[in-house]
Amino acid sequence: MSTTHTIPKRPLTWLITGCSSGFGLSLTRIAQAHGHTVIATSRNPSRTPDLVQEVENKGGKWLQLDVDDPSRGAQVIEDLEASGQPIDVLVNNAGYSIYTAGECFTEEEVRQQMETLYFGPFRLIRAAVPHMRKRRFGVVVNFSSGAALEGRDSMGAYAASKAALDGLSKVLAKEVAPFNVRILTVALGTFNTNMGNATIIGKNPLPEDYRGSVAQQMMDYMSSGKFEGNGDKDKAMKAVYEVVTGEGVGAGHLDERLLPLGRDLDARIKQVQAYLAHSLEVFGEVCNNVHREK
């Protein structure tokens, strides 16, 4: 397949959410090290003054942005665009996960998870893409998870939120490709980020039937502080940077829409492939024989 997307030969301006640690901070440092302009954001910049100074000393900006705020995200983008600082690359990274069995989530917990992982990114995308479309260039990078493909027990709300953004991304990618705007989904396995320390357990107690279940084991493990992902976040973000810019492992791949990262993610993809293939093995005949006869 020939490459249809192009990228300008100039430094790009990146807007990255969730930059106080983990993937966001790593990608910020990599982009700046390669001469790009980064507008880093976090919910509470005052908590990380050293990081704010580091980014701004290298020519970047650090802005307060709570993606849950219905008006803040769009306002940040409109203000930057109006000031003559167009966003070339939008990276939706900010997030967290809440854990409990599916029947135990409160509606408030699920709505809050969706707010951070789906509606927040959606509002930023909705604000940024029109500008990218008019300029005939832009990249939206949405950080997803193996949970969106096949979630682990106790991660139903997180899996649903990530899958929702994946669904939007797949459709949006088709719609904006003619305008040289690219939507890249980064499917991540487990990495050495702060996710284990940001664990939230649902407030409703698990029913007795779940005692000793995989869901309970996952909840206990994730809240123990012992979680350590087996992936290197800096190696992963180097790959993200290169796939966005078409350098290194991304050379010749500017049209790709999905970047899988992590050995455990490789196994998850194969699990989903087997799940789909099995469904056709069992029900393929009926699948192909429920059509209307002409």
Side-chain angles (χ1 to χ4, degrees):
M1 183 179 66
S2 61
T3 298
T4 58
H5 285 90
T6 60
I7 190 167
K9 297 183 182 300
R10 59 169 173 79
L12 304 176
T13 298
W14 301 56
L15 174 64
I16 305 174
T17 67
C19 293
S20 59
S21 65
F23 292 131
L25 180 58
S26 176
L27 185 57
T28 293
R29 286 170 168 165
I30 290 169
Q32 285 197 307
H34 284 82
H36 298 275
T37 298
V38 175
I39 297 150
T41 73
S42 63
R43 192 179 299 232
N44 294 298
S46 61
R47 293 182 179 176
T48 57
D50 293 346
L51 296 180
V52 172
Q53 185 175 21
E54 174 190 333
V55 168
E56 294 185 344
N57 285 348
K58 294 177 181 176
K61 291 182 181 179
W62 196 300
L63 302 178
Q64 189 279 332
L65 173 57
D66 180 353
V67 297
D68 293 354
D69 186 331
S71 60
R72 177 62 177 159
Q75 192 61 55
V76 164
I77 288 175
E78 295 304 334
D79 288 349
L80 289 167
E81 291 279 350
S83 70
Q85 192 154 40
I87 305 303
D88 295 308
V89 184
L90 167 64
V91 182
N92 286 306
N93 162 66
Y96 73 97
S97 179
I98 185 168
Y99 298 81
T100 192
E103 67 178 82
C104 298
F105 286 111
T106 67
E107 185 165 329
E108 180 184 7
E109 288 168 342
V110 175
R111 286 183 180 276
Q112 188 59 56
Q113 186 82 103
M114 289 290 290
E115 195 69 44
T116 301
L117 297 182
Y118 177 75
F119 286 105
F122 165 68
R123 287 188 287 261
L124 289 170
I125 291 168
R126 189 174 59 183
V129 163
H131 297 285
M132 295 176 174
R133 171 173 49 77
K134 290 172 185 176
R135 286 191 293 269
R136 293 299 195 263
F137 172 70
V139 184
V140 176
V141 184
N142 292 325
F143 281 13
S144 188
S145 164
L149 300 174
E150 182 68 27
R152 306 287 189 190
D153 306 48
S154 78
M155 297 181 70
Y158 180 82
S161 302
K162 287 294 190 183
L165 187 59
D166 284 6
L168 173 66
S169 300
K170 290 174 186 176
V171 175
L172 186 63
K174 300 171 190 176
E175 295 169 341
V176 299
F179 313 118
N180 197 36
V181 177
R182 181 182 175 203
I183 312 297
L184 176 67
T185 295
V186 181
L188 295 154
T190 59
F191 285 84
N192 58 336
T193 65
N194 198 44
M195 187 168 180
N197 297 322
T199 296
I200 298 174
I201 301 297
K203 66 180 183 181
N204 285 335
L206 279 179
E208 185 66 25
D209 281 345
Y210 287 99
R211 182 178 296 276
S213 67
V214 176
Q216 185 186 50
Q217 292 173 34
M218 276 288 296
M219 293 164 65
D220 291 345
Y221 176 59
M222 293 304 299
S223 59
S224 69
K226 297 177 182 178
F227 171 78
E228 291 184 6
N230 59 21
D232 183 318
K233 66 180 185 297
D234 297 321
K235 289 181 179 178
M237 292 306 100
K238 179 176 182 288
V240 170
Y241 171 81
E242 291 180 351
V243 172
V244 168
T245 59
E247 304 169 19
V249 299
H253 299 305
L254 287 177
D255 285 344
E256 295 303 317
R257 298 176 180 176
L258 177 64
L259 172 61
L261 293 173
R263 288 180 176 175
D264 51 330
L265 200 280
D266 178 274
R268 198 84 66 94
I269 289 175
K270 289 170 180 172
Q271 181 183 3
V272 173
Q273 288 174 324
Y275 167 77
L276 295 173
H278 176 76
S279 72
L280 285 181
E281 289 172 10
V282 176
F283 295 117
E285 185 173 355
V286 67
C287 175
N288 286 288
N289 284 284
V290 291
H291 55 277
R292 295 174 60 198
E293 299 291 349
K294 294 184 179 179

